[in-house]
Short mmCIF file of all heavy atoms in Angstrom, two decimals:
data_model
loop_
_atom_site.label_atom_id
_atom_site.label_comp_id
_atom_site.label_asym_id
_atom_site.label_seq_id
_atom_site.Cartn_x
_atom_site.Cartn_y
_atom_site.Cartn_z
N VAL T 104 106.02 91.37 232.10
CA VAL T 104 106.58 92.21 233.19
C VAL T 104 107.19 91.28 234.18
O VAL T 104 106.77 90.12 234.32
CB VAL T 104 105.48 93.08 233.95
CG1 VAL T 104 104.91 94.05 233.00
CG2 VAL T 104 104.40 92.18 234.55
N LEU T 105 108.20 91.69 234.85
CA LEU T 105 108.79 91.04 235.98
C LEU T 105 108.29 91.79 237.23
O LEU T 105 108.61 92.96 237.46
CB LEU T 105 110.27 91.06 235.96
CG LEU T 105 111.03 90.52 237.20
CD1 LEU T 105 110.57 89.17 237.60
CD2 LEU T 105 112.53 90.58 237.04
N LEU T 106 107.43 91.15 237.99
CA LEU T 106 106.95 91.66 239.29
C LEU T 106 107.81 91.04 240.48
O LEU T 106 107.88 89.88 240.59
CB LEU T 106 105.53 91.32 239.56
CG LEU T 106 104.45 92.11 238.77
CD1 LEU T 106 103.12 91.59 239.15
CD2 LEU T 106 104.52 93.63 239.10
N GLN T 107 108.49 91.97 241.15
CA GLN T 107 109.20 91.58 242.42
C GLN T 107 108.36 91.99 243.58
O GLN T 107 108.18 93.13 243.76
CB GLN T 107 110.57 92.15 242.35
CG GLN T 107 111.47 91.63 241.31
CD GLN T 107 112.97 92.04 241.46
OE1 GLN T 107 113.27 92.84 242.44
NE2 GLN T 107 113.75 91.52 240.58
N ILE T 108 107.95 91.06 244.41
CA ILE T 108 107.20 91.31 245.59
C ILE T 108 108.03 91.13 246.81
O ILE T 108 108.43 89.97 247.16
CB ILE T 108 105.96 90.46 245.64
CG1 ILE T 108 105.14 90.47 244.28
CG2 ILE T 108 105.02 90.72 246.80
CD1 ILE T 108 104.53 91.87 243.97
N ASN T 109 108.22 92.20 247.54
CA ASN T 109 109.07 92.26 248.68
C ASN T 109 108.29 91.85 249.97
O ASN T 109 107.24 92.57 250.30
CB ASN T 109 109.78 93.58 248.86
CG ASN T 109 110.92 93.54 249.74
OD1 ASN T 109 110.98 92.96 250.87
ND2 ASN T 109 112.08 94.14 249.30
N LEU T 110 108.75 90.89 250.74
CA LEU T 110 108.02 90.42 251.92
C LEU T 110 108.80 90.84 253.25
O LEU T 110 108.44 90.33 254.33
CB LEU T 110 107.89 88.88 251.95
CG LEU T 110 107.25 88.30 250.71
CD1 LEU T 110 107.27 86.77 250.80
CD2 LEU T 110 105.83 88.85 250.41
N ARG T 111 109.65 91.76 253.17
CA ARG T 111 110.56 92.15 254.30
C ARG T 111 109.69 92.58 255.53
O ARG T 111 110.14 92.35 256.67
CB ARG T 111 111.57 93.21 253.87
CG ARG T 111 110.91 94.50 253.65
CD ARG T 111 111.93 95.47 253.02
NE ARG T 111 111.31 96.83 252.64
CZ ARG T 111 111.93 97.70 251.93
NH1 ARG T 111 113.10 97.40 251.49
NH2 ARG T 111 111.34 98.83 251.61
N ASN T 112 108.53 93.16 255.35
CA ASN T 112 107.73 93.59 256.48
C ASN T 112 107.16 92.43 257.27
O ASN T 112 106.62 92.64 258.36
CB ASN T 112 106.56 94.50 256.01
CG ASN T 112 107.04 95.83 255.50
OD1 ASN T 112 108.13 96.29 256.01
ND2 ASN T 112 106.37 96.42 254.61
N TYR T 113 107.24 91.21 256.78
CA TYR T 113 106.77 90.04 257.41
C TYR T 113 107.74 88.90 257.65
O TYR T 113 107.51 87.79 257.75
CB TYR T 113 105.60 89.45 256.55
CG TYR T 113 104.52 90.55 256.34
CD1 TYR T 113 104.59 91.36 255.19
CD2 TYR T 113 103.50 90.77 257.25
CE1 TYR T 113 103.69 92.36 255.03
CE2 TYR T 113 102.64 91.80 257.05
CZ TYR T 113 102.66 92.54 255.97
OH TYR T 113 101.69 93.51 255.71
N SER T 114 109.10 89.39 257.86
CA SER T 114 110.07 88.49 258.05
C SER T 114 110.06 87.80 259.35
O SER T 114 110.84 86.77 259.69
CB SER T 114 111.51 89.11 257.86
OG SER T 114 111.66 90.19 258.85
N ASP T 115 109.24 88.22 260.22
CA ASP T 115 109.04 87.59 261.62
C ASP T 115 107.62 87.19 261.87
O ASP T 115 107.27 86.91 263.01
CB ASP T 115 109.53 88.59 262.70
CG ASP T 115 108.68 89.85 262.71
OD1 ASP T 115 107.90 90.08 261.78
OD2 ASP T 115 108.84 90.67 263.71
N GLN T 116 106.83 87.03 260.92
CA GLN T 116 105.38 86.67 261.11
C GLN T 116 104.79 86.17 259.82
O GLN T 116 105.27 86.38 258.70
CB GLN T 116 104.57 87.87 261.61
CG GLN T 116 104.53 89.02 260.62
CD GLN T 116 103.72 90.25 261.11
OE1 GLN T 116 102.50 90.07 261.35
NE2 GLN T 116 104.35 91.43 261.17
N LYS T 117 103.55 85.53 259.92
CA LYS T 117 102.86 85.13 258.78
C LYS T 117 102.33 86.41 257.99
O LYS T 117 102.19 87.53 258.59
CB LYS T 117 101.72 84.31 259.10
CG LYS T 117 102.02 82.96 259.62
CD LYS T 117 100.78 82.22 259.98
CE LYS T 117 101.01 80.84 260.58
NZ LYS T 117 99.79 80.08 260.88
N LEU T 118 102.03 86.27 256.69
CA LEU T 118 101.37 87.40 255.92
C LEU T 118 99.91 87.56 256.56
O LEU T 118 99.24 86.60 256.69
CB LEU T 118 101.47 87.04 254.54
CG LEU T 118 102.71 86.82 253.80
CD1 LEU T 118 102.58 86.34 252.39
CD2 LEU T 118 103.52 88.14 253.81
N THR T 119 99.63 88.82 256.63
CA THR T 119 98.27 89.13 257.03
C THR T 119 97.27 89.13 255.90
O THR T 119 97.60 89.14 254.72
CB THR T 119 98.22 90.49 257.77
OG1 THR T 119 98.56 91.48 256.75
CG2 THR T 119 99.23 90.51 258.81
N GLU T 120 95.97 89.20 256.25
CA GLU T 120 94.97 89.33 255.19
C GLU T 120 95.12 90.62 254.41
O GLU T 120 94.81 90.71 253.23
CB GLU T 120 93.55 89.31 255.79
CG GLU T 120 93.22 87.86 256.34
CD GLU T 120 93.16 86.89 255.24
OE1 GLU T 120 92.74 87.22 254.14
OE2 GLU T 120 93.71 85.79 255.48
N LYS T 121 95.57 91.69 255.04
CA LYS T 121 95.72 92.96 254.35
C LYS T 121 96.84 92.82 253.34
O LYS T 121 96.79 93.29 252.13
CB LYS T 121 96.13 94.14 255.29
CG LYS T 121 94.84 94.65 256.10
CD LYS T 121 95.27 95.84 256.93
CE LYS T 121 94.02 96.41 257.57
NZ LYS T 121 94.31 97.60 258.42
N ALA T 122 98.02 92.16 253.74
CA ALA T 122 99.10 91.97 252.81
C ALA T 122 98.64 91.07 251.58
O ALA T 122 99.02 91.38 250.46
CB ALA T 122 100.28 91.26 253.50
N LEU T 123 97.94 89.98 251.88
CA LEU T 123 97.39 89.10 250.84
C LEU T 123 96.43 89.83 249.87
O LEU T 123 96.41 89.54 248.68
CB LEU T 123 96.88 87.87 251.37
CG LEU T 123 97.85 86.94 252.10
CD1 LEU T 123 97.14 85.79 252.85
CD2 LEU T 123 98.93 86.35 251.18
N GLY T 124 95.68 90.79 250.51
CA GLY T 124 94.75 91.54 249.80
C GLY T 124 95.46 92.45 248.76
O GLY T 124 95.04 92.68 247.61
N GLN T 125 96.52 93.06 249.24
CA GLN T 125 97.41 93.88 248.36
C GLN T 125 97.93 93.03 247.19
O GLN T 125 97.97 93.50 246.00
CB GLN T 125 98.54 94.53 249.10
CG GLN T 125 98.20 95.69 249.94
CD GLN T 125 99.41 96.34 250.59
OE1 GLN T 125 100.44 95.73 250.65
NE2 GLN T 125 99.28 97.62 250.92
N LEU T 126 98.44 91.85 247.52
CA LEU T 126 99.00 91.02 246.51
C LEU T 126 97.90 90.65 245.50
O LEU T 126 98.25 90.69 244.25
CB LEU T 126 99.49 89.65 247.12
CG LEU T 126 100.18 88.62 246.28
CD1 LEU T 126 101.46 89.28 245.69
CD2 LEU T 126 100.51 87.39 247.11
N ASP T 127 96.74 90.29 245.86
CA ASP T 127 95.66 90.06 244.96
C ASP T 127 95.32 91.26 244.05
O ASP T 127 95.12 91.17 242.84
CB ASP T 127 94.42 89.65 245.73
CG ASP T 127 93.28 89.08 244.78
OD1 ASP T 127 92.58 89.97 244.25
OD2 ASP T 127 93.19 87.89 244.58
N THR T 128 95.37 92.42 244.64
CA THR T 128 95.11 93.63 243.87
C THR T 128 96.09 93.86 242.75
O THR T 128 95.79 94.22 241.66
CB THR T 128 95.06 94.88 244.86
OG1 THR T 128 94.00 94.79 245.78
CG2 THR T 128 94.92 96.18 244.05
N VAL T 129 97.39 93.64 243.08
CA VAL T 129 98.49 93.79 242.10
C VAL T 129 98.31 92.87 240.95
O VAL T 129 98.37 93.17 239.86
CB VAL T 129 99.81 93.70 242.80
CG1 VAL T 129 100.90 93.61 241.80
CG2 VAL T 129 100.08 94.88 243.83
N PHE T 130 98.10 91.56 241.30
CA PHE T 130 97.93 90.64 240.30
C PHE T 130 96.65 90.78 239.36
O PHE T 130 96.77 90.69 238.20
CB PHE T 130 97.79 89.19 240.87
CG PHE T 130 99.06 88.62 241.49
CD1 PHE T 130 99.02 87.60 242.41
CD2 PHE T 130 100.29 89.14 241.24
CE1 PHE T 130 100.19 87.04 243.01
CE2 PHE T 130 101.37 88.69 241.76
CZ PHE T 130 101.36 87.69 242.65
N SER T 131 95.65 91.26 240.02
CA SER T 131 94.42 91.55 239.28
C SER T 131 94.63 92.74 238.29
O SER T 131 94.32 92.60 237.14
CB SER T 131 93.36 91.88 240.22
OG SER T 131 92.13 92.26 239.53
N ALA T 132 95.33 93.75 238.71
CA ALA T 132 95.58 94.91 237.88
C ALA T 132 96.45 94.61 236.64
O ALA T 132 96.15 94.85 235.53
CB ALA T 132 96.21 96.06 238.61
N PHE T 133 97.52 93.84 236.87
CA PHE T 133 98.35 93.46 235.76
C PHE T 133 97.74 92.44 234.88
O PHE T 133 97.97 92.48 233.63
CB PHE T 133 99.76 92.98 236.39
CG PHE T 133 100.64 94.16 236.76
CD1 PHE T 133 100.54 94.79 237.98
CD2 PHE T 133 101.70 94.50 235.89
CE1 PHE T 133 101.40 95.74 238.32
CE2 PHE T 133 102.51 95.57 236.20
CZ PHE T 133 102.33 96.18 237.45
N SER T 134 96.98 91.49 235.41
CA SER T 134 96.36 90.58 234.59
C SER T 134 95.23 91.23 233.70
O SER T 134 95.15 90.96 232.52
CB SER T 134 95.63 89.47 235.40
OG SER T 134 96.60 88.72 236.16
N ASN T 135 94.55 92.11 234.23
CA ASN T 135 93.43 92.83 233.53
C ASN T 135 94.03 93.64 232.46
O ASN T 135 93.30 94.12 231.51
CB ASN T 135 92.52 93.61 234.44
CG ASN T 135 91.70 92.68 235.31
OD1 ASN T 135 91.40 91.67 234.97
ND2 ASN T 135 91.22 93.29 236.49
N SER T 136 95.22 94.05 232.58
CA SER T 136 96.00 94.89 231.55
C SER T 136 96.54 94.03 230.48
O SER T 136 97.23 94.52 229.59
CB SER T 136 97.02 95.74 232.19
OG SER T 136 96.49 96.70 233.12
N GLY T 137 96.30 92.72 230.51
CA GLY T 137 96.81 91.83 229.49
C GLY T 137 98.31 91.46 229.65
O GLY T 137 98.86 90.92 228.65
N LYS T 138 98.84 91.66 230.79
CA LYS T 138 100.32 91.45 230.95
C LYS T 138 100.52 89.90 231.28
O LYS T 138 99.70 89.31 231.93
CB LYS T 138 100.94 92.29 232.10
CG LYS T 138 100.76 93.80 231.90
CD LYS T 138 101.43 94.25 230.58
CE LYS T 138 101.37 95.78 230.54
NZ LYS T 138 101.88 96.31 229.24
N GLN T 139 101.57 89.40 230.83
CA GLN T 139 102.08 88.03 231.25
C GLN T 139 103.16 88.29 232.29
O GLN T 139 104.04 89.03 232.08
CB GLN T 139 102.51 87.27 230.06
CG GLN T 139 101.54 86.95 229.04
CD GLN T 139 101.63 87.96 227.92
OE1 GLN T 139 102.66 88.13 227.29
NE2 GLN T 139 100.52 88.69 227.67
N ILE T 140 102.98 87.60 233.45
CA ILE T 140 103.78 87.96 234.59
C ILE T 140 104.89 86.99 234.85
O ILE T 140 104.58 85.82 234.96
CB ILE T 140 102.84 88.09 235.83
CG1 ILE T 140 101.77 89.15 235.63
CG2 ILE T 140 103.63 88.35 237.10
CD1 ILE T 140 100.69 89.21 236.65
N ILE T 141 106.13 87.49 235.06
CA ILE T 141 107.24 86.78 235.66
C ILE T 141 107.30 87.23 237.06
O ILE T 141 107.25 88.39 237.38
CB ILE T 141 108.48 87.00 234.92
CG1 ILE T 141 108.36 86.60 233.43
CG2 ILE T 141 109.59 86.26 235.53
CD1 ILE T 141 109.37 87.21 232.55
N LEU T 142 107.27 86.33 238.03
CA LEU T 142 107.12 86.72 239.43
C LEU T 142 108.24 86.27 240.29
O LEU T 142 108.77 85.17 240.14
CB LEU T 142 105.78 86.00 239.92
CG LEU T 142 105.42 86.21 241.36
CD1 LEU T 142 105.12 87.65 241.70
CD2 LEU T 142 104.19 85.33 241.64
N ARG T 143 108.66 87.17 241.09
CA ARG T 143 109.78 86.85 242.06
C ARG T 143 109.41 87.39 243.44
O ARG T 143 109.19 88.59 243.60
CB ARG T 143 111.09 87.40 241.65
CG ARG T 143 112.31 86.93 242.48
CD ARG T 143 113.57 87.71 242.16
NE ARG T 143 114.00 87.54 240.80
CZ ARG T 143 115.09 88.09 240.27
NH1 ARG T 143 115.94 88.84 241.02
NH2 ARG T 143 115.35 88.01 238.94
N PHE T 144 109.33 86.54 244.49
CA PHE T 144 109.20 86.92 245.84
C PHE T 144 110.63 87.05 246.51
O PHE T 144 111.40 86.18 246.18
CB PHE T 144 108.28 85.99 246.65
CG PHE T 144 106.87 86.04 246.25
CD1 PHE T 144 106.32 85.03 245.44
CD2 PHE T 144 106.04 87.03 246.83
CE1 PHE T 144 104.88 85.07 245.08
CE2 PHE T 144 104.67 87.03 246.48
CZ PHE T 144 104.15 86.06 245.64
N LEU T 145 110.73 88.02 247.39
CA LEU T 145 112.06 88.20 247.98
C LEU T 145 111.92 89.02 249.30
O LEU T 145 110.88 89.44 249.59
CB LEU T 145 113.02 88.97 247.00
CG LEU T 145 112.44 90.13 246.12
CD1 LEU T 145 112.23 91.36 247.06
CD2 LEU T 145 113.40 90.44 244.97
N TYR T 146 113.01 89.09 250.06
CA TYR T 146 113.03 89.92 251.23
C TYR T 146 113.99 91.02 251.19
O TYR T 146 114.13 91.84 252.14
CB TYR T 146 113.39 88.94 252.43
CG TYR T 146 112.38 87.86 252.62
CD1 TYR T 146 112.64 86.60 252.17
CD2 TYR T 146 111.27 88.05 253.48
CE1 TYR T 146 111.71 85.59 252.31
CE2 TYR T 146 110.39 87.01 253.73
CZ TYR T 146 110.57 85.80 253.10
OH TYR T 146 109.70 84.70 253.30
N ASP T 147 114.76 91.15 250.11
CA ASP T 147 115.90 92.04 250.04
C ASP T 147 116.06 92.72 248.70
O ASP T 147 115.95 92.05 247.61
CB ASP T 147 117.22 91.29 250.34
CG ASP T 147 118.48 92.12 250.00
OD1 ASP T 147 118.80 92.97 250.86
OD2 ASP T 147 119.00 91.89 249.00
#
């Protein structure tokens, strides 16, 4: 899968623990499903 993770809500601040928790949750779900991940972070 190609996962695109949009960071636009944090374009003026550091990522919060809640945001990083969501990121961990997404990676965990796709990894546990046996997916190999292509990853792209972006703002747009």
Side-chain angles (χ1 to χ4, degrees):
V104 297
L105 170 58
L106 282 180
Q107 293 189 358
I108 306 297
N109 199 315
L110 308 178
R111 64 188 178 194
N112 290 333
Y113 303 91
S114 61
D115 60 352
Q116 61 178 305
K117 293 181 179 180
L118 299 172
T119 65
E120 288 301 315
K121 284 187 176 181
L123 294 172
Q125 283 188 336
L126 185 62
D127 188 278
T128 298
V129 171
F130 290 162
S131 177
F133 278 82
S134 298
N135 290 337
S136 296
K138 303 299 184 186
Q139 299 94 60
I140 299 168
I141 300 163
L142 178 62
R143 187 188 305 182
F144 288 100
L145 42 72
Y146 299 94
D147 167 80

